[in-house]
Amino acid sequence: MKTSSGRFFEDFHLGDVIVHATPRTVTAGDVALYTALYGPRFAVQSSEAFARAIGYSAAPVDDLLVFHIVFGKTVPDISLNAVANLGYADGRFLKPVFVGDTLSTTSEVIGLKQASAGDAGIVYVRSIGRNQHGDIVLSYARWVLVRKRQPGTPAHAEQVPELAKAVLPDVLGEGCPPLDLAGHDDALAGSRFRWGDYAVGEKIDHVDGMTVEEAEHQLATRLYQNTARVHFDAHAAQGSRFGKRLIYGGHVISLARALSFNGLGNAFHIAAINGGRHVAPLFAGDTVYAWSEVLACAELPGRSDVGALRLRLVATKNLPCAAHPLKEGEQYAPGVILDFDYWALLPR
Amino acid sequence: MKTSSGRFFEDFHLGDVIVHATPRTVTAGDVALYTALYGPRFAVQSSEAFARAIGYSAAPVDDLLVFHIVFGKTVPDISLNAVANLGYADGRFLKPVFVGDTLSTTSEVIGLKQASAGDAGIVYVRSIGRNQHGDIVLSYARWVLVRKRQPGTPAHAEQVPELAKAVLPDVLGEGCPPLDLAGHDDALAGSRFRWGDYAVGEKIDHVDGMTVEEAEHQLATRLYQNTARVHFDAHAAQGSRFGKRLIYGGHVISLARALSFNGLGNAFHIAAINGGRHVAPLFAGDTVYAWSEVLACAELPGRSDVGALRLRLVATKNLPCAAHPLKEGEQYAPGVILDFDYWALLPR
Amino acid sequence: MKTSSGRFFEDFHLGDVIVHATPRTVTAGDVALYTALYGPRFAVQSSEAFARAIGYSAAPVDDLLVFHIVFGKTVPDISLNAVANLGYADGRFLKPVFVGDTLSTTSEVIGLKQASAGDAGIVYVRSIGRNQHGDIVLSYARWVLVRKRQPGTPAHAEQVPELAKAVLPDVLGEGCPPLDLAGHDDALAGSRFRWGDYAVGEKIDHVDGMTVEEAEHQLATRLYQNTARVHFDAHAAQGSRFGKRLIYGGHVISLARALSFNGLGNAFHIAAINGGRHVAPLFAGDTVYAWSEVLACAELPGRSDVGALRLRLVATKNLPCAAHPLKEGEQYAPGVILDFDYWALLPR
């Protein structure tokens, strides 16, 4: 059989290391498409001149574009037979990526747990993205519910990894060079609010909304060489639970992040992903809104140039966020689609 | 309040100079997307080899892509609360832009006039786009009708700037290096008609039509980092006058310009924008057609390589242009959506 | 008349050589868009590092992107008044194309045959794409049925060229440098199956499906500067046979080729196109599936690094390909849209 239908739960074994296919050179074309798909406006990624003025050697590639490319490679090997994408944890952006860098990904199976129904199981992996020099640029854990090939096969020995609830501040600076803040122009950056201007508990409605079209999320997901069928095959989707194509969850994260510029214009770098939940699916024609809550403020050991904000980024569909919708009792409120917890760096 | 909802009429004062956010390095990715969005076929912008053969140091970036990027930056500060985009004047492309250049924009408030209803006012700005060396690449005036925050507030002192009806020929060559016409291959350029072959009053139907999809204009408008909500938010648009997303007016200009290649293949450079009116809105699913009229022919002082044509570029929706539709009496004819007046350069 | 409405059958004469307009520099932006449009995952084109490790000087541009750009230039001169695109033959990719190369195209009329109805005729051309050094990168024959301007005009002298049914193996290596297979990492390439692992008669279902949106094929076709009206003008299409826009046949080829990665991951280079038929039209909203059959295996004279597979690539719409649908009796089976015959190279 020359065609791969992807791994089933039985095919994963603890400690397996999978080398994912198709290394990918990131180009100015990818960056332009990322801009066209989401409309980010952070000056550091948008302008070579701005990036160099504050101490970067060149404009870095958007952290989420790096995430999507690194993640996309894992799909054919990890999640082609996934029932659900359950979560992320301990995501760390450890080195900036620049145009011209080539990214590749490996994943290690770090946990396995059969679901009670016996027809699927949770696979935990640690995925690592490296550049052409072998440097780790991104490391994150992820767990997915994967179908079994044969519902009757015996369960693997169960092993659930312990994953940090949040990345500790001491590694948050690794993906950010020392900044020369004398070169930081707040007007060009688009915000006069720096790290010290945000307070724990502060909630920010990002105001704007963005409607998603089928062509847009398909272009994005293919750009990341992510092959999950649910995003592309409307014919097969007719017989699925939703009857239509599902939008890649990472598309929602990128939209919400781009919207968050309005209110978080100086939060130029995603240093870490503490966790993320795709609460409900997004479909073409829906409009995404977002709001943020400041969960924590942290200094970075030994650095006076930047500080970190731990942010909850909530995205909704067809529901403006002036009221900061999140939960109703224990449940997520209708319309909430993403609950994302990350660390961003801002100039001090 | 960390989120910006944009300026209202009361927030503008004569002489204010606004530094707009997010400088932008123009890349080969932007150029490719521009090609994919509109299909321009002018050889100078399409081919490094062609551009160098006639004396450019490299293929210049399409003038309208420069316009859209420079313009896009002004939206969050100028027109987020605009009721209508009223006009442009005195737009001059003063220096070619190349891949790798970083563009930024400032705007000066040059006029203010409260509308008679008292709930809005016209804001006149002069916007200036500069490259990373501080050189002005584009300068244009624009006026928009902007809502007041409080309909009751007293009016500003009225001041309406005098704007030239047309840019004078003596500055039209500034954005175009001296050309070596020995290197100009008309077959590769796609037209045997040079500047001297066009006559005042000549009308040209550009024949082809281009249907616009929601994904296309959203990709374009985000590429320009233009944040005007009316282009992106279908949920909010349900309650608006049109009930759906509006297409950015600049998208129409670029489509019409690309269509105009068929008939104006040697009009490779937009030297100036004399004026422009978005006569009616365009929506996704509509098909754009275009025709041109030669309004004037001008020599450029001291230059024998290129001449200028003043062109009226008319775009329509769902209305082919063999009959050159424009006005019925005083009114624009149904189907006309753009009346655009510009100077183009052609080889002599 | 400054506008071109394209050539009619009467306008073609045997031996005519047409220099097509708009040379085109291929950029990293084009490559990124190609990835976003089709999702190809061949490592050689995706990664500078992978390409260099096996002996390329840089990552080559996808062969089909080269084909579409070279082909697109011919449309305004050859097929604007085509009734049908009848076939291709003897297509040879003779030199790799890299980012930065500028492509231009000429076509020679090599055959003419009036259709029996007298209102149209078949035009045979040999089109040649060259880079900025004048090197031929692609040569192919194509024939199209072109309308006559006047149904009554007398027929041209008939001449039908003899075209090879298949390209001979001895030229298949020209577009591929000598490879250093020690640098070839099958895990990164995404397939452990090399040339010797395929057998004549083997059939491979590529499993995945890809739904096409109007915005996607329009972006693609404009990227190639292909101006065929049927792809872009929904208003005019209302009165046409199908009542809607037709998708460029090349779009189908690229989709099917990208899907074929799943099963043919090491078939990194299209060396030649033996023939191709667009069996039925594709429309937006349809889902494309594909399967392949190995028609022949060939060694390349003097080369031990790569071997060639002659492949039939069949694409369908809204019809998964587990049963390898092709013909029912003499006729193509319902749902089949493409029958494409090409040579691919694989490492040995």
Side-chain angles (χ1 to χ4, degrees):
Chain A
M1 186 67 168
K2 296 225 169 50
T3 305
S4 166
S5 292
R7 283 176 177 76
F8 291 87
F9 183 65
E10 300 94 318
D11 302 323
F12 292 93
H13 301 92
L14 213 62
D16 279 356
V17 175
I18 301 166
V19 176
H20 302 296
T22 313
R24 173 81 146 77
T25 303
V26 183
T27 71
D30 301 314
V31 171
L33 268 162
Y34 193 83
T35 301
L37 287 161
Y38 308 110
R41 291 182 286 143
F42 298 96
V44 178
Q45 287 80 16
S46 179
S47 166
E48 290 291 331
F50 190 96
R52 288 174 200 273
I54 62 169
Y56 277 90
S57 60
V61 169
D62 194 290
D63 301 298
L64 290 174
L65 175 53
V66 173
F67 177 82
H68 298 322
I69 290 176
V70 167
F71 178 98
K73 300 191 183 325
T74 71
V75 170
D77 296 313
I78 306 293
S79 51
L80 224 46
N81 299 303
V83 183
N85 215 339
L86 298 177
Y88 310 99
D90 194 28
R92 285 169 278 129
F93 291 88
L94 296 169
K95 222 175 158 74
V97 172
F98 301 103
V99 163
D101 283 352
T102 297
L103 302 180
S104 54
T105 311
T106 56
S107 295
E108 181 179 350
V109 179
I110 58 170
L112 292 168
K113 183 184 175 188
Q114 182 164 297
S116 52
D119 59 345
I122 303 175
V123 178
Y124 296 79
V125 292
R126 154 89 40 205
S127 296
I128 291 177
R130 285 183 176 81
N131 65 19
Q132 69 278 16
H133 307 299
D135 303 328
I136 298 180
V137 298
L138 170 62
S139 171
Y140 67 93
R142 174 191 177 211
W143 53 107
V144 278
L145 184 64
V146 177
R147 268 192 297 275
K148 290 171 81 167
R149 183 178 284 109
Q150 301 279 359
T153 51
H156 288 280
E158 183 173 311
Q159 168 133 350
V160 175
E162 285 208 33
L163 294 166
K165 286 244 185 296
V167 175
L168 296 179
D170 52 317
V171 301
L172 298 179
E174 302 215 1
C176 178
L179 296 194
D180 175 6
L181 294 185
H184 192 282
D185 182 325
D186 284 356
L188 290 179
S191 174
R192 66 179 189 277
F193 302 107
R194 295 197 172 193
W195 176 73
D197 297 315
Y198 293 86
V200 173
E202 188 172 352
K203 294 179 179 180
I204 302 165
D205 171 19
H206 300 305
V207 181
D208 301 308
M210 194 70 79
T211 305
V212 182
E213 300 295 320
E214 298 281 15
E216 293 170 354
H217 76 85
Q218 293 198 149
L219 288 168
T221 311
R222 281 188 298 246
L223 185 70
Y224 314 140
Q225 295 171 309
N226 176 331
T227 61
R229 294 180 193 120
V230 291
H231 309 315
F232 298 114
D233 185 339
H235 182 72
Q238 287 170 357
S240 72
R241 178 160 53 127
F242 299 111
K244 49 190 168 179
R245 282 164 281 178
L246 274 174
I247 293 174
Y248 163 49
H251 200 75
V252 177
I253 301 174
S254 281
L255 280 170
R257 164 77 175 157
L259 291 171
S260 78
F261 178 85
N262 194 352
L264 286 163
N266 274 327
F268 68 97
H269 169 49
I270 296 185
I273 296 173
N274 299 311
R277 275 193 63 179
H278 296 295
V279 174
L282 182 73
F283 303 106
D286 287 337
T287 302
V288 174
Y289 299 88
W291 67 275
S292 293
E293 178 179 0
V294 180
L295 299 178
C297 304
E299 298 199 341
L300 267 57
R303 293 187 67 161
S304 58
D305 54 343
V306 290
L309 295 183
R310 186 175 171 187
L311 295 161
R312 159 176 263 166
L313 175 61
V314 178
T316 62
K317 60 178 179 187
N318 309 320
L319 179 68
C321 289
H324 314 121
L326 183 61
K327 295 202 172 177
E328 294 182 354
E330 296 290 293
Q331 304 286 311
Y332 280 98
V336 173
I337 58 176
L338 174 73
D339 186 5
F340 191 70
D341 178 344
Y342 72 107
W343 284 107
L345 298 196
L346 292 87
R348 294 178 66 168
Chain B
M1 184 68 166
K2 297 225 169 49
T3 305
S4 167
S5 292
R7 283 176 177 75
F8 290 86
F9 183 65
E10 299 94 318
D11 303 323
F12 293 94
H13 302 93
L14 212 62
D16 280 356
V17 175
I18 301 167
V19 176
H20 302 296
T22 315
R24 174 81 146 80
T25 303
V26 183
T27 72
D30 301 313
V31 170
L33 268 162
Y34 193 84
T35 301
L37 288 161
Y38 308 110
R41 291 182 286 143
F42 297 96
V44 179
Q45 286 81 15
S46 178
S47 165
E48 290 291 331
F50 190 96
R52 289 173 198 274
I54 62 170
Y56 276 89
S57 60
V61 169
D62 194 289
D63 302 298
L64 290 176
L65 175 53
V66 173
F67 177 81
H68 298 321
I69 290 176
V70 168
F71 179 95
K73 298 188 185 326
T74 70
V75 170
D77 296 312
I78 306 293
S79 51
L80 223 46
N81 298 303
V83 184
N85 215 340
L86 298 176
Y88 310 100
D90 194 28
R92 286 169 277 128
F93 292 86
L94 297 169
K95 221 174 160 75
V97 172
F98 301 103
V99 163
D101 284 352
T102 297
L103 302 179
S104 53
T105 310
T106 57
S107 294
E108 182 179 351
V109 179
I110 59 170
L112 292 167
K113 183 185 173 187
Q114 182 165 296
S116 53
D119 60 345
I122 304 175
V123 177
Y124 296 80
V125 293
R126 155 103 19 220
S127 295
I128 291 178
R130 286 184 174 82
N131 65 18
Q132 69 278 18
H133 308 299
D135 302 328
I136 298 179
V137 298
L138 169 62
S139 170
Y140 67 94
R142 175 192 176 210
W143 52 108
V144 278
L145 184 63
V146 178
R147 267 192 295 277
K148 290 172 80 167
R149 184 178 284 111
Q150 302 279 359
T153 51
H156 288 281
E158 182 173 313
Q159 167 133 348
V160 175
E162 285 208 32
L163 295 165
K165 286 243 185 297
V167 175
L168 296 179
D170 52 318
V171 300
L172 297 179
E174 302 214 3
C176 178
L179 297 194
D180 174 7
L181 293 185
H184 192 280
D185 181 325
D186 283 357
L188 290 179
S191 172
R192 65 180 191 277
F193 303 107
R194 295 196 173 193
W195 175 73
D197 296 315
Y198 292 86
V200 173
E202 188 170 352
K203 293 179 181 181
I204 303 165
D205 172 18
H206 301 303
V207 182
D208 301 308
M210 193 70 79
T211 305
V212 183
E213 300 297 321
E214 298 281 14
E216 293 170 354
H217 76 84
Q218 292 197 148
L219 287 169
T221 310
R222 281 188 298 245
L223 185 69
Y224 314 140
Q225 295 171 308
N226 176 331
T227 61
R229 293 179 193 121
V230 291
H231 309 315
F232 299 113
D233 185 339
H235 181 73
Q238 286 171 358
S240 74
R241 179 159 53 129
F242 299 111
K244 49 190 168 178
R245 283 165 280 178
L246 275 172
I247 293 174
Y248 164 48
H251 201 75
V252 177
I253 300 174
S254 281
L255 280 169
R257 164 77 175 156
L259 292 170
S260 79
F261 179 85
N262 193 351
L264 286 163
N266 274 326
F268 68 97
H269 171 49
I270 296 185
I273 295 171
N274 299 310
R277 274 194 63 178
H278 297 292
V279 173
L282 182 74
F283 303 105
D286 287 337
T287 301
V288 173
Y289 298 88
W291 66 275
S292 293
E293 178 179 2
V294 180
L295 299 178
C297 305
E299 299 198 339
L300 267 55
R303 294 187 65 161
S304 59
D305 54 343
V306 289
L309 295 183
R310 185 175 171 187
L311 295 161
R312 161 177 262 166
L313 175 60
V314 178
T316 61
K317 60 178 177 186
N318 308 320
L319 179 67
C321 290
H324 312 122
L326 183 61
K327 294 201 174 178
E328 294 182 353
E330 297 290 294
Q331 304 287 312
Y332 280 98
V336 173
I337 58 174
L338 174 74
D339 185 6
F340 192 70
D341 177 345
Y342 73 106
W343 284 107
L345 298 196
L346 294 86
R348 295 179 66 166
Chain C
M1 186 66 167
K2 297 224 168 52
T3 304
S4 167
S5 293
R7 283 175 177 76
F8 291 87
F9 183 65
E10 300 94 318
D11 302 324
F12 293 94
H13 301 93
L14 213 63
D16 279 355
V17 175
I18 300 166
V19 176
H20 303 296
T22 314
R24 173 80 145 80
T25 303
V26 183
T27 72
D30 301 314
V31 171
L33 268 162
Y34 192 83
T35 300
L37 287 161
Y38 308 110
R41 290 182 287 144
F42 297 98
V44 179
Q45 287 80 14
S46 179
S47 166
E48 291 291 330
F50 190 96
R52 289 174 199 273
I54 63 169
Y56 277 89
S57 61
V61 170
D62 193 289
D63 302 298
L64 290 175
L65 174 54
V66 172
F67 177 81
H68 298 321
I69 290 175
V70 167
F71 179 96
K73 301 191 184 323
T74 70
V75 170
D77 296 312
I78 305 293
S79 51
L80 223 46
N81 298 302
V83 183
N85 216 340
L86 298 176
Y88 311 99
D90 194 27
R92 288 169 276 127
F93 291 86
L94 297 168
K95 219 173 161 75
V97 172
F98 300 103
V99 162
D101 283 353
T102 297
L103 302 179
S104 54
T105 311
T106 57
S107 294
E108 181 178 351
V109 180
I110 59 171
L112 291 167
K113 184 186 175 188
Q114 182 165 295
S116 53
D119 59 346
I122 302 176
V123 178
Y124 297 78
V125 293
R126 155 96 30 214
S127 295
I128 291 178
R130 287 183 174 81
N131 65 19
Q132 69 278 20
H133 307 298
D135 303 328
I136 298 180
V137 299
L138 169 63
S139 170
Y140 67 94
R142 173 191 178 211
W143 52 108
V144 277
L145 184 64
V146 177
R147 267 192 297 276
K148 290 173 79 167
R149 183 178 283 109
Q150 301 279 358
T153 52
H156 289 281
E158 181 173 312
Q159 167 132 351
V160 175
E162 285 208 31
L163 294 166
K165 287 245 185 295
V167 175
L168 296 178
D170 53 318
V171 301
L172 297 180
E174 302 216 0
C176 177
L179 297 195
D180 175 7
L181 294 185
H184 192 279
D185 181 325
D186 283 357
L188 290 179
S191 174
R192 65 179 190 275
F193 303 107
R194 295 195 172 193
W195 175 74
D197 296 314
Y198 292 86
V200 173
E202 187 171 353
K203 294 180 180 179
I204 303 164
D205 171 18
H206 301 304
V207 181
D208 301 308
M210 194 70 78
T211 305
V212 183
E213 301 296 321
E214 298 282 13
E216 292 170 355
H217 76 84
Q218 294 198 148
L219 287 169
T221 312
R222 281 187 298 245
L223 185 70
Y224 315 140
Q225 296 171 310
N226 176 330
T227 61
R229 293 178 195 123
V230 291
H231 308 316
F232 299 114
D233 186 338
H235 182 74
Q238 287 170 357
S240 73
R241 177 160 52 128
F242 299 110
K244 49 190 168 179
R245 282 165 281 178
L246 274 173
I247 292 174
Y248 164 50
H251 200 74
V252 177
I253 301 173
S254 281
L255 281 170
R257 163 79 175 155
L259 292 171
S260 79
F261 178 85
N262 194 352
L264 286 163
N266 273 327
F268 68 96
H269 169 49
I270 297 185
I273 295 171
N274 299 310
R277 275 194 63 179
H278 296 293
V279 173
L282 181 74
F283 303 105
D286 288 337
T287 302
V288 174
Y289 299 88
W291 67 274
S292 293
E293 179 180 1
V294 181
L295 300 177
C297 305
E299 298 198 341
L300 265 57
R303 292 186 69 159
S304 58
D305 54 343
V306 289
L309 296 183
R310 185 175 171 187
L311 295 161
R312 161 177 262 166
L313 175 61
V314 178
T316 62
K317 60 179 177 186
N318 310 320
L319 180 68
C321 290
H324 313 123
L326 183 61
K327 294 202 174 179
E328 293 181 353
E330 297 290 294
Q331 304 288 311
Y332 281 97
V336 173
I337 58 176
L338 175 74
D339 186 5
F340 191 71
D341 178 343
Y342 72 106
W343 283 108
L345 298 196
L346 293 86
R348 295 178 65 167

